[in-house]
Amino acid sequence: MAKKSIGPVRREFSPWESPDHPPFIEFRNVTKKFGGIAAVNNLSLKIYEREFFALLGGSGCGKTTLMRMLAGFETPTSGQIFLDGQDLAGIPPFRRPSNMMFQSYALFPHMSVEKNIAFGLRQDKLPASEIDGRVAEMLRLTKLEQFAKRKPHQLSGGQRQRVALARSLAKRPKVLLLDEPLGALDRKLREETQFELMNIQEELEMTFLIVTHDQEEAMTVADRIAVMDSGELVQVATPAEIYEAPNCKFVADFIGDVNLIEASVAEKTEAGTTLRALGTEFTLETSQTTDAGVGDKVWYAIRPEKVRIAQGRREEGAVNQINGLVWDIAYLGDVSIIHSKVGEGDHDTLRATFANVSRMVENPITWDDEVVLSFDRDAGVILTD
């Protein structure tokens, strides 16, 4: 029987699934208050060795404060932080086995690339031969050999970013902390650099912790993602689980694009749950069970790419078919997004996306077309909050 999983399997690496596997980084009931307001509120989290872990959330959610406490730049109001079994309380930043790469890069403008990379090693008074070896290794790893003698102002933004990364890695920290490291790069370069980061992390077998507000960045690089809101963890899971199986409306709406259909539970059976969409006349047949009772209000979250859209009549006997009227269309090149009115209310719309696999389309869907929207029983998830 073919093995099933939610989304693609990143690699054979999932220590978080073993209850006996010790965490490499652990936050235990950590709270951080500024002026009586909790930026991080009684948070507990386990991160494992060799994991590429992402803290994701909007501005003010507490993700950067959490990283700064791990780095030693902030002190928890209460709780404990452990790294490789060591309680970090009272240990200053320069004594911690971690290194932090900032968004600004903070390169020395008067030093060459190789001297920037070697700076921390010289501060630690390592032997010259070892410094030269590590610098050469970092230049190779970040593909900067030909730029070794250049100054930062002679480099592109992406190259400066790699110098900052090489300098952070040269000291061989137990964990590398990345604070919005790619925010200053243009989109195409940012996407290329994300894959470079992943390759470097796997080659070094090092633990990376990245803070970002960019959903696509977190989904691309991370083994697991912690979605944060108001100083608390909302969901911690793999990228595919976060996207395909959000545990609440906040995560479903925050990650990617989603249709959130307000509904009530009409019927519950062993085969699944039937929902009635509020404000419309259509019902939804799902294969999912729910703790909500019959008559309770719920939300049905379904991603636009799971919704099929076609011109013509309903298919006899098929489930989850909804009549719609095309309201708006966005052509993005690789995909098209179509908004269709499915009810009388201003917000009674359903979004569908499809890949533009052909350059020429016969009888394309256009504005004011009557269409049929459909999806499978297991296409979405029922959310109660």
Side-chain angles (χ1 to χ4, degrees):
M1 182 180 292
K3 183 179 179 181
K4 288 187 176 182
S5 68
I6 296 180
V9 177
R10 188 178 295 271
R11 56 177 171 168
E12 294 298 323
F13 176 78
S14 54
W16 50 86
E17 294 181 353
S18 172
D20 299 325
H21 200 291
F24 191 59
I25 300 168
E26 184 176 7
F27 297 87
R28 291 185 190 172
N29 305 112
V30 172
T31 294
K32 176 61 180 179
K33 293 184 177 180
F34 295 100
I37 299 175
V40 174
N41 186 25
N42 195 30
L43 183 147
S44 295
L45 175 65
K46 295 179 180 179
I47 300 171
Y48 296 87
E49 191 170 15
R50 293 176 45 228
E51 187 173 7
F52 203 139
F53 194 92
L55 296 173
L56 175 66
S59 298
C61 73
K63 59 187 185 297
T64 299
T65 300
L66 198 65
M67 174 178 280
R68 288 177 62 83
M69 286 191 288
L70 177 59
F73 300 128
E74 300 287 353
T75 302
T77 305
S78 62
Q80 296 173 288
I81 302 175
F82 294 85
L83 175 54
D84 198 14
Q86 180 184 21
D87 190 340
L88 297 179
I91 301 176
F94 61 90
R95 295 290 183 194
R96 299 192 180 196
S98 60
N99 217 341
M100 193 163 183
M101 178 180 162
F102 299 94
Q103 182 178 351
S104 63
Y105 308 151
L107 301 177
F108 298 108
H110 63 287
M111 292 184 182
S112 65
V113 167
E114 60 185 1
K115 288 183 178 179
N116 263 285
I117 296 172
F119 180 80
L121 305 177
R122 297 189 191 281
Q123 292 292 104
D124 291 343
K125 295 181 169 43
L126 295 184
S129 59
E130 185 172 352
I131 292 175
D132 292 342
R134 288 202 197 180
V135 170
E137 179 189 9
M138 291 301 107
L139 290 171
R140 176 196 63 79
L141 196 64
T142 54
K143 301 175 183 176
L144 289 169
E145 294 101 326
Q146 61 181 315
F147 306 106
K149 303 297 183 183
R150 291 192 186 183
K151 301 289 180 61
H153 73 273
Q154 298 172 314
L155 304 174
S156 68
Q159 290 161 352
R160 288 196 294 271
Q161 185 270 344
R162 281 185 277 158
V163 176
L165 176 62
R167 185 179 61 186
S168 300
L169 293 171
K171 295 185 71 171
R172 295 178 181 170
K174 289 185 177 180
V175 57
L176 180 64
L177 309 177
L178 301 137
D179 185 13
E180 303 276 7
L182 311 181
L185 305 182
D186 63 70
R187 177 168 181 170
K188 186 173 183 179
L189 184 55
R190 187 165 64 245
E191 291 174 351
E192 293 173 356
T193 307
Q194 287 166 6
F195 284 96
E196 289 179 2
L197 270 178
M198 294 165 62
N199 293 334
I200 290 171
Q201 189 264 342
E202 288 205 35
E203 181 173 339
L204 295 177
E205 296 187 338
M206 187 181 290
T207 306
F208 279 21
L209 174 60
I210 186 171
V211 159
T212 181
H213 65 275
D214 188 319
Q215 305 158 25
E216 290 186 11
E217 183 170 285
M219 298 282 286
T220 299
V221 303
D223 295 306
R224 285 191 304 156
I225 299 171
V227 181
M228 295 185 64
D229 182 43
S230 301
E232 299 181 352
L233 297 176
V234 184
Q235 185 172 4
V236 181
T238 64
E241 290 167 341
I242 290 281
Y243 186 82
E244 300 287 359
N247 63 0
C248 63
K249 277 175 57 185
F250 176 83
V251 174
D253 198 29
F254 186 77
I255 302 294
D257 198 9
V258 69
N259 294 293
L260 283 171
I261 302 172
E262 191 175 3
S264 63
V265 178
E267 184 182 7
K268 298 174 67 173
T269 67
E270 291 184 0
T273 305
T274 301
L275 306 177
R276 180 173 291 107
L278 300 182
T280 64
E281 297 180 354
F282 61 83
T283 58
L284 310 173
E285 298 287 343
T286 80
S287 59
Q288 184 182 351
T289 58
T290 178
D291 293 332
V294 173
D296 287 352
K297 179 180 173 179
V298 295
W299 295 85
Y300 186 69
I302 181 168
R303 302 291 180 183
E305 69 273 12
K306 305 291 194 298
V307 179
R308 296 181 293 270
I309 184 168
Q311 297 165 310
R313 298 180 179 181
R314 294 189 183 205
E315 183 180 340
E316 190 69 29
V319 298
N320 297 331
Q321 297 186 87
I322 304 168
N323 291 330
L325 183 71
V326 175
W327 185 258
D328 217 345
I329 300 174
Y331 176 79
L332 303 181
D334 55 342
V335 298
S336 289
I337 305 172
I338 296 182
H339 293 229
S340 300
K341 292 281 289 184
V342 294
E344 297 300 324
D346 291 339
H347 302 291
D348 293 335
T349 60
L350 201 61
R351 283 165 288 178
T353 64
F354 57 87
N356 295 315
V357 295
S358 299
R359 293 181 62 244
M360 302 298 292
V361 179
E362 187 175 351
N363 296 323
I365 294 172
T366 188
W367 282 262
D368 297 327
D369 274 358
E370 293 183 355
V371 292
V372 175
L373 303 135
S374 62
F375 47 89
D376 298 328
R377 283 187 171 91
D378 61 354
V381 293
I382 300 172
L383 303 174
T384 56
D385 58 4

